[in-house]
Amino acid sequence: MNPVTTPIYLITGTSKGIGEALANYYLQQGVIVVGCSRSHSNIEHESYYHHSVDVTDEQSVKHLFTWVRKTFGRLDVLINNAGIAAMNHAILTPASSVERILQTNVLASFICCREAAKIMKKKAFGRIVNFSTVAVPLNLEGEAAYAASKSGVETLTRVLAREFAEFNITVNAVGPTPIQTELIKNVGDDKINALLARQTLKRMGTFDDVINVVNFFVDEKSDFISAQVVYLGGV
Amino acid sequence: MSMRETLLSIIEQSFEELNDTREPGNLLSFHPEVALYGANSSLDSVDLVNLLLAIEERIEDELDISFTIANEKALSQKNSPFKTVKSLCDYLQIELAK
């Protein structure tokens, strides 16, 4: 493994779910993965470097990216996967919950994009993939704060794509359908089935579905693809 | 070397880094009154971003600290600290003394 030529990927939220699946997949592809989450990670691989970081804490995130810069001298791909959801009727949603969602989904994505671009622009190459959700185009009831936060991520994606274009950094987003992860563990089957009924392709998503879209965005050949949001399930 | 001298040296090295990417006939000269933005500046907005990031990175590496050059205070000041080399150096000296 040569850190000078091996691609360096930073993936947030790698302790479980999609983030863990993405990290394991890219490790299998032979890249170096720097992962982070508030908790520890179960991933054990010689090319995996885990950092316990709260992505809403600007200083901690800055330390993480400074470590990447000093250790590898570059960063090729950022996958902003870390996110939280809360599914409640708006009338029963406390402001503190909205604030927490906005901080994790919007603020953290912004800070990570900013710090990643600082490193990527030195090599005039970078791929950033953010995470939206089908809850945005479907305007899902019960997900006002979550969908609003992901709308923010989509706008962030489109504006940063323009701001970072001159550094040869592309910024795109993937919008998954429900996938069997901890994020939706408390959502009832009736709600999930009603959501699936609104998709063109009526099934739950899988980790592989997400990886497929992320792969497309991070491909070196995708240098003319930026400011795009791809939803799964034909939404 | 005093902190001010260190900072001026960091800013000068960052100018040189920026000049490495410019055409020979379009190099930036370095002196305290050089305008970093505005009508009298030779830097465009991307040059200014690159310059400030180069300075931020050198401060972090040479002083072994974590530092963000563009904080809320800097961006909200009536007289921007990023106006000239001198005002930038004044601002950095105050920020680093905190």
Side-chain angles (χ1 to χ4, degrees):
Chain A
M1 184 73 57
N2 182 350
V4 176
T5 55
T6 308
I8 313 291
Y9 283 39
L10 195 155
I11 305 173
T12 65
T14 49
S15 65
K16 59 196 173 191
I18 298 172
E20 185 179 27
L22 282 162
N24 280 321
Y25 172 79
Y26 285 113
L27 287 166
Q28 283 168 20
Q29 303 305 305
V31 313
I32 292 171
V33 175
V34 179
C36 70
S37 63
R38 278 174 299 185
S39 56
H40 77 286
S41 164
N42 294 320
I43 301 171
E44 285 184 12
H45 193 286
E46 60 175 7
S47 298
Y48 180 74
Y49 301 83
H50 190 79
H51 292 249
S52 293
V53 169
D54 174 355
V55 286
T56 66
D57 181 65
E58 184 175 24
Q59 208 53 39
S60 302
V61 174
K62 197 161 165 52
H63 279 133
L64 169 64
F65 281 86
T66 299
W67 181 87
V68 170
R69 179 173 64 79
K70 289 186 174 176
T71 306
F72 303 111
R74 65 173 216 282
L75 176 65
D76 300 284
V77 171
L78 165 68
I79 303 174
N80 260 326
N81 158 76
I84 56 171
M87 289 153 205
N88 260 327
H89 194 287
I91 288 173
L92 299 175
T93 302
S96 59
S97 174
V98 179
E99 196 170 10
R100 204 166 52 87
I101 291 168
L102 289 172
Q103 286 212 331
T104 306
N105 297 351
V106 185
L107 178 67
S109 293
F110 177 85
I111 298 170
C112 289
C113 286
R114 186 192 70 196
E115 293 304 314
K118 288 180 185 177
I119 304 175
M120 290 171 171
K121 76 174 198 56
K122 291 174 88 80
K123 300 286 179 192
F125 176 86
R127 299 276 184 267
I128 296 176
V129 182
N130 292 325
F131 270 71
S132 181
T133 165
V134 295
V136 173
L138 293 178
N139 298 309
L140 288 183
E141 309 92 317
E143 301 196 9
Y146 178 61
S149 75
K150 292 299 189 178
S151 287
V153 170
E154 291 191 9
T155 301
L156 197 61
T157 299
R158 286 188 284 266
V159 175
L160 294 185
R162 286 178 173 272
E163 290 196 19
F164 296 168
E166 54 201 318
F167 307 128
N168 252 339
I169 300 168
T170 65
V171 190
N172 294 288
V174 56
T177 60
I179 293 174
Q180 205 57 62
T181 65
E182 204 166 298
L183 200 71
I184 60 163
K185 68 180 179 188
N186 296 326
V187 183
D189 287 346
D190 54 335
K191 285 216 166 59
I192 293 292
N193 289 333
L195 199 166
L196 296 185
R198 295 173 68 180
Q199 297 175 192
T200 304
L201 306 167
K202 303 179 195 312
R203 67 164 171 83
M204 294 281 280
T206 65
F207 292 150
D208 284 346
D209 294 324
V210 177
I211 289 168
N212 181 43
V213 177
V214 174
N215 254 339
F216 169 65
F217 285 145
V218 305
D219 194 312
E220 279 192 28
K221 293 194 288 288
S222 294
D223 61 351
F224 207 42
I225 310 291
S226 200
Q228 303 302 306
V229 181
V230 170
Y231 299 112
L232 294 176
V235 172
Chain B
M1 193 184 271
S2 70
M3 178 56 91
R4 188 159 189 95
E5 288 168 334
T6 302
L7 289 171
L8 278 171
S9 166
I10 285 173
I11 297 171
E12 187 169 11
Q13 289 172 58
S14 302
F15 260 74
E16 286 166 9
E17 189 179 318
L18 196 58
N19 275 334
D20 288 342
T21 65
R22 295 170 76 91
E23 297 295 322
N26 193 28
L27 299 182
L28 303 166
S29 57
F30 175 81
H31 60 83
E33 297 306 325
V34 162
L36 300 180
Y37 78 83
N40 296 325
S41 175
S42 309
L43 285 79
D44 63 23
S45 60
V46 176
D47 288 333
L48 182 60
V49 169
N50 284 331
L51 178 70
L52 294 177
L53 286 186
I55 293 168
E56 178 180 289
E57 201 172 294
R58 280 179 196 279
I59 287 174
E60 288 202 317
D61 291 351
E62 291 189 24
L63 306 181
D64 198 22
I65 57 167
S66 181
F67 183 67
T68 302
I69 198 163
N71 63 30
E72 201 166 355
K73 186 182 155 209
L75 299 174
S76 63
Q77 282 182 28
K78 196 174 177 185
N79 292 314
S80 169
F82 305 139
K83 210 168 182 177
T84 64
V85 167
K86 183 181 176 302
S87 65
L88 175 60
C89 196
D90 292 343
Y91 162 74
L92 293 174
Q93 209 169 352
I94 292 167
E95 287 300 305
L96 291 169
K98 285 179 182 171

